Each structure stands twice: as C-alpha cells, then as structure tokens.
Amino acid sequence: MSYESDDDDKPLVFRRNARPDTVKPSPQPSSKPSNEDVDSEDDKPLSCKISNVSKGDTNHAKIEPPGTNVSPLLKPLAKDEEEDSDDEKPLSLKYMSKSKVGSSNNHKPHQNGSASNNHNQVKNIGLNKRPPDEERSASVKKPKLSDSVTPVNHKPVALKAETKSDDDHDDDDVPISQRIKKQTASGSNNPSPSVKQKAVVKKSSSSLNQTNKKSKKMMKQKQKESKYSKPSRMPPGSGEGQKWTSLVHSGVIFPPEYKPHGVKMLYNGKPVDLTPEQEEVATMFAVMLDTDYMGKTQFKENFWGDWQKILGKNHTIKNLDKCDFKPIYEWHQAEKEKKKLMTTEEKKAIKEEKMKIEEKYMWAIVDGVKEKVGNFRVEPPGLFRGRGEHPKMGKLKKRIRPSDITINIGKDAPIPECPIPGESWKEIRHDNTVTWLAYWIDPINSKEFKYVFLAASSALKGQSDKEKYEKARKLKGYIEGIRKAYTKDFGSTDVTKKQVAVATYLIDKLALRAGNEKDDDEADTVGCCTLKVENVEPVPPNTLKFDFLGKDSIRYQNDVNVELPVFKAIQQFRTGKAGNDNLFDKLDTSKLNAHLKELMPGLTAKVFRTYNASITLDDMLARETKGGDVAQNLAVYQVANKEVAIICNHQRTVSKSHDAQMTRLNEKIDELKGVIKELENDLTRAKKGKPPTQSSDGKPKKNLNPEALQKKINQANEKIAKMERDKESKEDLKTVALGTSKINYLDPRITVAWCKRHEVPIEKLFNKSLLAKFAWSMDVDPSFRF
DNA sequence: AGATCTACTTAGAAGTCGCGAT
DNA sequence: ATCGCGACTTCTAAGTAGATCT
C-alpha cells in the first residue's frame, strides 16, 4: 500500500547516513543501514517514514494528506479532550493510591526527591488542588512581583535542623502526586506550615508590588490567554506568575579553597617556582593533558592568554611550548590512584563526612514541601570546556565567591548563612515569580547566568514537565491543519510566508531545532532558522542533503526526499547567495514562533520535537507490541526508543573500548563454536557407544549420555544466539544515545500506561531518577494514549 | 524591529558505582 | 579478589523562548 499516486517521488533516500561525526574526536564510519522495514504510509509519524526510507521503499515525504490520519483526536481539541489527562478527575481518584489523608504529623515538611513510595507518608491536610496546568506557568510571562532586594547586610539565620528534621530519611518520599495535590490552589491559606521550621513559612504577599506598567501588560496578556485557557481556578490572592508562596533553603556550597601541592613543572627543562595562584591554573591545564583539547590551538592560546595574566609580565615562563606540565600531571594521576586504592570503609567515611556537610544544602522547602535542590554546588574554577570549535575553550573559569551570588528566597525565610566566614552574598531577592534559588554571572560569558534550581523530582519541575507534554498532545489536534496550511504556503508568492512554510515543514518532518541567532563568541552551530546555504544541498530531482553542526556541535547528516515544491523553494532561497549566507533570510525564531502561535496557542518550534518523539513512541509501541514476554516487550520498547533517538539526532561518542569489546565478543563466539563442534563429535560417538575424544588440554572428559550432550549443545547454541544479538544491538546503538529522549521528549505516561497494559514492571524502563522525575505520571490510566 | 536580558529546558561527557565474569 | 563493563549520577554547556529595552 502506501501512498497516493504520482511518482514524482523516487525512493526516498532518507538515510541518516553518517550518524556520528561530531566535530569532536569521534571519527566515525558513516552510513549505517538503518533499521527495520515498515511499510510506508504517508500519514505515519515521522519515525516510520524514516525507517521506511532507509530501506529505499517507495515513499513520499508528503505532508499529511488531510483526513488520512485515523487518529480520533485529529481535530482541534475539544475541551474535554484537552483536559482528559486527569485534571478533571476528582482528586481522590487521581492520586489515590499514593496519598494518605489526614495524619498525625503534618507539621513536617514533606520531603521530595525520592522515587520510592513510602507508606509512612504524611499527607498535608490541605486538600487544595494545584492549579490547573495552563494557569500556572504556561505561556504568559508574568510581571515581576517582588524583586524586593534586601541589602546584604543581615545577620544570617541558619536554616538548620529544620531541613534535616529528625527523620528526614524516612519521610524522603512523598510521591509527587501528593505534593502536587497539596500545592495550594486556594492559595491563601497555605495548608502546610512546616511547624518545625524556626522561621515560620508563611505565604508571601504575592502580587503586592506590581508596578502599574506591569499590571497593564499583564491584563493584556490575560485577555489574550483567556481565549484558550481554562477558567482560572486561581484564588484571588495568588498572582499570575507566582511559582511559590514560601521558599526556604540554605543557599549554595562552595568548592574548597585551593591547596597547593608544590609539585614543580618544568620550563625549558628546569623546575619553576609558582605562586599558589599560578600553580592552581597550571594544574588545571596539567590535568587536561590527556584530553583532546591539547590538540586544539584555540584551547592553548586561550589558556596561555589567561595564565600569562596571572604569571605577570616578567615571569620566567614566556612560552607555553617550553612548558612541561608532566610532573603535575603525574602527581595528579598518582592522587587519583591513591584514591582508588583506599579501602571501601575509608571511602565510605569520606563520603559520609561530605554528606554531613552537604545535607542541609540538598533540600529546599517549597510551600511546606521538602524538595531536592538540583545543583547546590557552585561550579569550581577550571578551564572552560566548550564543545566543538568554541572560541572560548581553554579560558580560565574563575572561582566564584559568595559576593558573586544572588540568593532568591521567601520573604519570611531565614537568609542562608554564607558558608565562607567573613564574606557575604551579593544580593538577596524575594521573587516568587521565578523558580531559581540562586544565580551568579557566568564567568566565561558575562551576558549569561548560572542558576541553581530545584531537582527534576520536585513538584515545580514535574508540573512544568507535564504542561510541556500536554501542550504537545494539544498539537496533535492541530497538526493536520498546520500541515495543510504550510503545504499550501509552499507555493506562496510572499517569500517570507514561503520561508515560514518551508521552515515549519523541516521542523515538523525532521525534528530540527528552531535555531536561534548566535554570537561570534560561541561555537558556530545552526538550527532550522539559521541554516546556511551550504548546509542544505538540493540534488535533483527532489533530494535535500543536510549536513550541519547542531546543538553541542553534533553533526546532523541526512538525505531526504521532499515534495517538489519544498525542493524548488530551497533552490530558490539559495539562488544568488554565498555558501555561508542564511538560507532563510527573511526568518528568525521569533518570527517563526509568532507565526506558530497563530496556528495554536502556545505553539513554538520545540513543541514539534516533543510531539513527534512522543507520538512516535506511542505509535510504535501500539503497533509493535505483540504480547510476548517481558523481555520481548522490552525489546520492542528499545526499538521504539531508538527510533526516537535517531529522529532527534541524539548521539553519543563511541566508547574507546568499543572495538576491543566487539573483538572479544567475536572471539568468545568462535570459542563457543569450537566447543560445539567438539560436543557434536562426542555426541556422534556417544550414540555409537564410543567414549568422547580427548579434550585438547588432555584432561579426561566425562562420559556423558547423548541426551546430556545434546542439551549442552543446545545451551551453547542459545548462548551464541544471545551473543550475536548483543553484538548486533551493541553495534547498532554505539552512536545512539537513548537516554536523552527518555528524559526530555517521551511523555512518561505513554511508557507507564504501556507497562500497565503489558505487565512490564516500570522499573525495567525507568531508573530511580526517572521514577522520581516522573512521579506525576505514575497513576495514569492504562488506556492512556498520547 | 532588533538587541539584550532573563529564565528555563535540553544535551553529551565525565565520573562513580555496583555487579557478573573470571 | 579483581577486572571490565554498563548503568546511573553529576556536571555544566548549549540550546529555546518570552520579556523588556532601545
């Protein structure tokens, strides 16, 4: 079957030929034949197309012909569908198994951040429901509510025992569902005061300090939004962009001060004295001696530039080439070795010591719920490790001090004690419209910030994750119309319109990223809107050869047959331009996104990636699951996961030992084959009543009966078969990173529901971290489809 | 209308852990 | 007991995108 009609399309040469090839040292053989056959249909999700094509099936990279897609949800979402997720269920049903109502000790903050279901859980009294998805974060950017800056002069109040209340190891696990539920929607009476805290957590005066200007703006946005958002269930008291009501945490922890080792490097073959500061930077370089950065001139130049500043004008060291960092490198290796050789107990003790110090920084209390903090450790100084050909690689990333750090915390919360005596924070804010706990200016690029956020397991993150997937699901209801619309615009005489149409097509079909503009002081990578003429080569009659460096300087290479109008359009956009001119000269991401928003509220380019990834998984699982055993089902899942990873171009560098590992596998297989031969020989003899032959090493063999021998042979054969499978999948996945899509693109509810339907334990697919991150999805109905 | 600022998600690599094979 | 490997965790770079400024 397949497609409609005309043969303007040839076999779609849609191969991801050389997957790997980053600019990095991951030289790759290219061209891997990609996967399985799937018969072609035009309205299949992307994934299927890709696989089709790889085999050279006839196919048409056509845009969804209207009406061919069978999905019942292919229409602008009806209200009920939009909300079907589970927001409309009575609360009691939604999270039932997890929350316990009423309890003795609701004065304790709930603790979050662990995957396990703890049955000792306390349920906060408040039956408040978290406000519905869209209202909470969604599209509207809110006015700053507070921003009230507290001058740094304050007596620090230590947040001590409160975070680590007596038993925080066992209340570690409030399921997120419970937390979410608790997140007050009827906000004003914060139901979960953590009484144990010294600084009582109160609701903060949310929207008090808006400026007039800001409120006006807000109104405007509200109007716009109201077209599509659910009626607000927000209580009057809570502000639009409010992310939390109370926030308590302990700030951040700093890396230890530099301890000079005194190992002397050589200059011109002679040892040189360095001050601790100079030595510190030299050591940063020395420990990178065995990385690929050493082969990069840019890296060394940048390092030298920054180090020279620290060495000073008249220093003996005048030329990096005459420096020998080996002694320091070797010292460092020895230190590592020492560490490795420590006994388990020693290691354990050290770890525990560290834990003890860090414990209080690990947690924040958000609206009375104890949540894990994601990155409470300030980044240590080092040399900047930019990816690809980053112009700033090798530059010194200076040490961050408390005076660089801005803390965001609840108005009523104690201000975290500065962990370095005698120093103090740069600034304290009380901004409840943002989720960050602290930030500092990126020392490499002063235009950028480094933030401290809550961990992925937090309710705040979980909520926005869920919103992301709900938005992607909403796209399902619009996609048909959108495809129709851009297909129509391929022929537009308005060049801008035409470019928007083609760009949208690429984003939809190839899951390209939006492609924001980049500065000159960043690696030269592109996304859809920033594609250069030289990145897309049209090969008649209708093939486009893509080759560019995308995010993280990962190479994207793909040959794809497209509809003729797209092909022609690309040719047109290229004419009269140089190779490094922009392909889409009338376009940037904000124009593109502005256009997308007209098609669907809240729609942006990145939603297509989420949508295509999730719909592909859902579709493939549905089609390929054949009701086998758990192992077979897991294999099905992995194939689907891999498909998604390929669509999204999630790559990893081939491990250094990959080849060696393959060789070893082959050797083992050969060895087994030899064993089988011998066994077969013995079997023949045994059948004739003869004793087995001498084994090669001369040891006597047991005289086995034919049945036993046959059994051994079968076992060995099975083992070989398994090893062959392992080999294949290993080779197959050597450059494919499965994790990224699981973490960021695949709606966990698809996985959870599928597991429920096919009796696959969810733990086989989600590790502890993922279970914690996706706690919000665990109670999904088994019939859930994306 | 573009530039800049801000906040947040997405990404691969490096580091660590733990388990099975030897 | 040791090794080797994959799984998982940590780290931080590099994206997207909305808001605000000029």
Side-chain angles (χ1 to χ4, degrees):
Chain A
M1 70 159 299
S2 66
Y3 43 80
E4 55 284 284
S5 62
D6 52 52
D7 46 31
D8 58 329
D9 322 344
K10 338 272 233 9
L12 196 35
V13 203
F14 195 164
R15 277 169 321 153
R16 253 323 130 76
N17 32 15
R19 302 205 24 71
D21 285 17
T22 61
V23 265
K24 292 166 307 186
S26 56
Q28 265 329 295
S30 48
S31 123
K32 85 185 321 162
S34 67
N35 16 39
E36 325 71 80
D37 272 23
V38 188
D39 45 8
S40 51
E41 288 167 25
D42 260 343
D43 44 341
K44 270 189 198 157
L46 197 54
S47 58
C48 318
K49 293 205 166 149
I50 287 184
S51 34
N52 290 345
V53 191
S54 60
K55 286 279 189 153
D57 276 356
T58 33
N59 200 329
H60 303 248
K62 260 212 180 127
I63 299 282
E64 220 61 89
T68 42
N69 199 322
V70 258
S71 167
L73 287 174
L74 270 188
K75 48 183 151 76
L77 269 190
K79 191 82 186 165
D80 46 340
E81 284 167 336
E82 179 176 347
E83 305 200 332
D84 69 346
S85 50
D86 55 20
D87 259 343
E88 295 307 297
K89 279 192 232 159
L91 266 173
S92 46
L93 291 179
K94 282 166 72 171
Y95 302 116
M96 55 204 170
S97 56
K98 301 191 181 162
S99 48
K100 275 207 211 153
V101 180
S103 88
S104 42
N105 50 349
N106 53 24
H107 54 280
K108 239 193 303 180
H110 294 301
Q111 185 167 314
N112 192 357
S114 154
S116 51
N117 278 359
N118 184 328
H119 299 293
N120 278 341
Q121 231 28 257
V122 188
K123 155 78 177 68
N124 245 317
I125 6 133
L127 287 172
N128 306 310
K129 188 176 167 187
R130 186 185 263 261
D133 306 338
E134 266 147 66
E135 291 150 22
R136 258 193 97 84
S137 73
S139 38
V140 200
K141 196 62 192 194
K142 291 71 183 199
K144 290 251 148 107
L145 297 191
S146 52
D147 251 327
S148 41
V149 175
T150 310
V152 185
N153 213 353
H154 45 267
K155 35 191 168 55
V157 188
L159 160 64
K160 272 192 286 194
E162 48 276 20
T163 34
K164 46 172 294 134
S165 54
D166 27 352
D167 41 5
D168 57 357
H169 291 292
D170 47 61
D171 67 356
D172 187 9
D173 334 81
V174 180
I176 208 173
S177 47
Q178 195 173 328
R179 291 179 251 128
I180 286 176
K181 193 152 129 194
K182 196 174 35 203
Q183 299 271 339
T184 168
S186 36
S188 353
N189 46 358
N190 183 341
S192 53
S194 349
V195 174
K196 278 218 169 152
Q197 283 156 230
K198 282 162 198 160
V200 180
V201 180
K202 287 188 285 187
K203 60 169 171 162
S204 82
S205 40
S206 42
S207 43
L208 289 183
N209 24 11
Q210 294 163 355
T211 67
N212 289 336
K213 194 168 86 194
K214 282 170 176 170
S215 345
K216 243 189 266 158
K217 183 145 208 167
M218 198 174 86
M219 298 275 260
K220 228 184 357 191
Q221 275 176 319
K222 244 198 128 167
Q223 279 174 2
K224 219 165 155 192
E225 188 197 30
S226 63
K227 270 196 291 207
Y228 51 88
S229 62
K230 293 178 240 177
S232 171
R233 270 174 261 169
M234 281 285 230
S238 56
E240 266 293 320
Q242 188 178 331
K243 298 287 190 1
W244 46 266
T245 299
S246 76
L247 174 64
V248 184
H249 63 87
S250 299
V252 293
I253 194 166
F254 293 86
E257 289 298 324
Y258 180 67
K259 278 220 310 280
H261 46 67
V263 177
K264 301 218 184 313
M265 55 172 296
L266 309 176
Y267 186 69
N268 262 335
K270 281 183 271 181
V272 265
D273 288 328
L274 295 175
T275 66
E277 202 194 3
Q278 296 163 348
E279 183 196 279
E280 179 179 16
V281 181
T283 305
M284 292 170 185
F285 188 82
V287 301
M288 291 179 75
L289 243 36
D290 53 7
T291 69
D292 298 314
Y293 286 110
M294 288 304 141
K296 306 210 173 187
T297 317
Q298 182 77 258
F299 185 90
K300 290 193 275 197
E301 274 176 10
N302 286 338
F303 162 73
W304 175 236
D306 283 357
W307 192 38
Q308 220 177 3
K309 281 181 219 153
I310 291 167
L311 292 173
K313 280 206 177 67
N314 302 318
H315 202 277
T316 333
I317 298 178
K318 297 211 156 35
N319 183 347
L320 187 60
D321 291 333
K322 294 180 184 164
C323 291
D324 182 358
F325 295 85
K326 278 257 179 51
I328 302 182
Y329 172 78
E330 268 148 22
W331 163 82
H332 176 250
Q333 295 299 108
E335 287 293 302
K336 277 208 304 206
E337 196 58 28
K338 256 196 243 168
K339 227 171 115 186
K340 234 187 357 206
L341 289 174
M342 283 191 309
T343 64
T344 351
E345 289 82 50
E346 285 171 316
K347 283 186 200 160
K348 220 172 165 181
I350 289 174
K351 218 172 142 190
E352 254 161 44
E353 189 61 27
K354 195 178 167 204
M355 278 294 265
K356 227 159 100 191
I357 297 168
E358 295 189 341
E359 166 73 23
K360 72 167 181 170
Y361 297 97
M362 298 199 339
W363 307 97
I365 302 172
V366 185
D367 295 339
V369 182
K370 192 167 171 181
E371 305 268 22
K372 243 186 186 141
V373 177
N375 54 328
F376 51 89
R377 277 180 278 258
V378 169
E379 292 173 19
L383 303 182
F384 179 65
R385 295 157 105 105
R387 313 259 171 99
E389 295 303 315
H390 199 296
K392 293 192 169 181
M393 65 170 92
K395 284 183 73 62
L396 172 63
K397 205 169 78 163
K398 72 160 193 44
R399 184 175 291 271
I400 302 300
R401 314 217 64 94
S403 58
D404 296 315
I405 303 228
T406 299
I407 298 277
N408 189 34
I409 199 153
K411 266 208 164 70
D412 303 305
I415 290 164
E417 185 179 11
C418 176
I420 301 182
E423 302 194 29
S424 53
W425 307 118
K426 180 180 183 183
E427 184 184 324
I428 305 293
R429 289 201 209 161
H430 310 286
D431 184 352
N432 68 2
T433 68
V434 294
T435 66
W436 54 266
L437 309 184
Y439 81 79
W440 64 91
I441 307 273
D442 181 355
I444 290 296
N445 186 346
S446 58
K447 282 177 283 186
E448 288 177 1
F449 303 148
K450 298 285 200 172
Y451 291 94
V452 174
F453 289 116
L454 293 174
S457 57
S458 64
L460 219 47
K461 293 276 193 195
Q463 178 68 18
S464 90
D465 213 26
K466 183 176 175 190
E467 280 161 9
K468 173 182 78 184
Y469 290 115
E470 282 306 297
K471 191 188 276 181
R473 291 179 80 207
K474 197 157 122 189
L475 175 54
K476 200 173 50 159
Y478 288 85
I479 193 72
E480 192 187 345
I482 289 171
R483 287 173 176 165
K484 222 192 274 181
Y486 66 56
T487 304
K488 191 164 143 255
D489 285 347
F490 290 159
S492 176
T493 48
D494 177 342
V495 182
T496 307
K497 222 172 178 179
K498 196 164 173 173
Q499 292 196 357
V500 167
V502 173
T504 310
Y505 169 85
L506 297 181
I507 283 166
D508 182 21
K509 283 296 157 190
L510 304 182
L512 299 191
R513 295 188 182 82
N516 282 319
E517 297 292 339
K518 297 193 73 187
D519 278 353
D520 293 339
D521 57 2
E522 297 176 277
D524 193 11
T525 62
V526 303
C528 183
C529 293
T530 41
L531 281 169
K532 305 275 193 283
V533 164
E534 64 201 3
N535 295 139
V536 189
E537 188 197 341
V539 178
N542 65 336
T543 305
L544 296 178
K545 289 171 93 83
F546 289 84
D547 191 347
F548 60 89
L549 298 181
K551 182 177 181 180
D552 293 308
S553 293
I554 297 291
R555 189 173 180 185
Y556 182 96
Q557 255 187 317
N558 199 359
D559 296 355
V560 51
N561 283 7
V562 298
E563 290 183 69
L564 214 49
V566 173
F567 183 80
K568 292 256 163 75
I570 295 285
Q571 281 183 318
Q572 181 198 337
F573 301 154
R574 283 168 53 100
T575 47
K577 291 184 191 168
N580 65 343
D581 285 346
N582 283 334
L583 180 67
F584 298 114
D585 51 302
K586 301 268 190 287
L587 207 55
D588 62 37
T589 50
S590 55
K591 280 179 199 141
L592 180 68
N593 282 334
H595 172 253
L596 293 177
K597 286 205 166 44
E598 289 172 7
L599 304 177
M600 182 190 109
L603 185 60
T604 62
K606 80 194 270 273
V607 180
F608 284 90
R609 268 170 84 82
T610 312
Y611 164 77
N612 275 313
S614 285
I615 198 80
T616 298
L617 177 73
D618 191 78
D619 184 70
M620 282 189 76
L621 288 181
R623 281 186 301 112
E624 306 297 329
T625 311
K626 299 281 156 49
D629 60 21
V630 170
Q632 286 167 326
N633 284 337
L634 288 174
V636 169
Y637 189 93
Q638 201 191 51
V639 169
N641 193 167
K642 179 184 143 199
E643 197 68 47
V644 172
I646 289 172
I647 292 169
C648 294
N649 202 35
H650 291 146
Q651 300 192 14
R652 58 176 184 165
T653 41
V654 183
S655 86
K656 273 170 275 164
S657 56
H658 176 83
D659 283 355
Q661 286 173 31
M662 290 304 275
T663 313
R664 264 167 52 97
L665 269 178
N666 279 327
E667 281 167 7
K668 280 193 169 172
I669 287 172
D670 287 347
E671 204 181 301
L672 266 179
K673 279 182 179 161
V675 170
I676 288 174
K677 256 214 175 102
E678 213 175 303
L679 284 169
E680 275 168 346
N681 194 12
D682 290 347
L683 177 61
T684 332
R685 294 172 65 93
K687 279 180 179 161
K688 296 177 188 158
K690 293 184 193 164
T693 50
Q694 277 293 318
S695 67
S696 44
D697 52 13
K699 277 186 227 150
K701 274 198 221 167
K702 243 196 268 174
N703 199 350
L704 295 167
N705 61 33
E707 290 75 35
L709 282 168
Q710 187 59 54
K711 204 174 150 200
K712 278 194 154 194
I713 290 171
N714 293 344
Q715 280 172 346
N717 273 321
E718 258 168 52
K719 214 167 165 183
I720 287 181
K722 183 180 179 302
M723 287 172 85
E724 291 284 3
R725 282 198 304 273
D726 288 352
K727 215 177 83 182
E728 198 182 332
S729 106
K730 193 183 194 115
E731 186 64 29
D732 220 29
L733 292 173
K734 72 175 176 186
T735 63
V736 183
L738 297 182
T740 309
S741 48
K742 229 188 215 178
I743 295 170
N744 299 301
Y745 288 103
L746 300 174
D747 188 334
R749 292 171 298 183
I750 299 168
T751 304
V752 172
W754 177 82
C755 279
K756 286 179 180 175
R757 291 199 297 271
H758 299 97
E759 288 168 5
V760 175
I762 188 67
E763 292 79 11
K764 297 268 182 201
L765 293 169
F766 289 167
N767 63 31
K768 214 176 104 208
S769 309
L770 288 174
L771 286 172
K773 170 173 171 145
F774 296 140
W776 58 270
S777 71
M778 292 302 150
D779 52 5
V780 69
D781 192 280
S783 65
F784 176 92
R785 295 293 303 274
F786 183 74

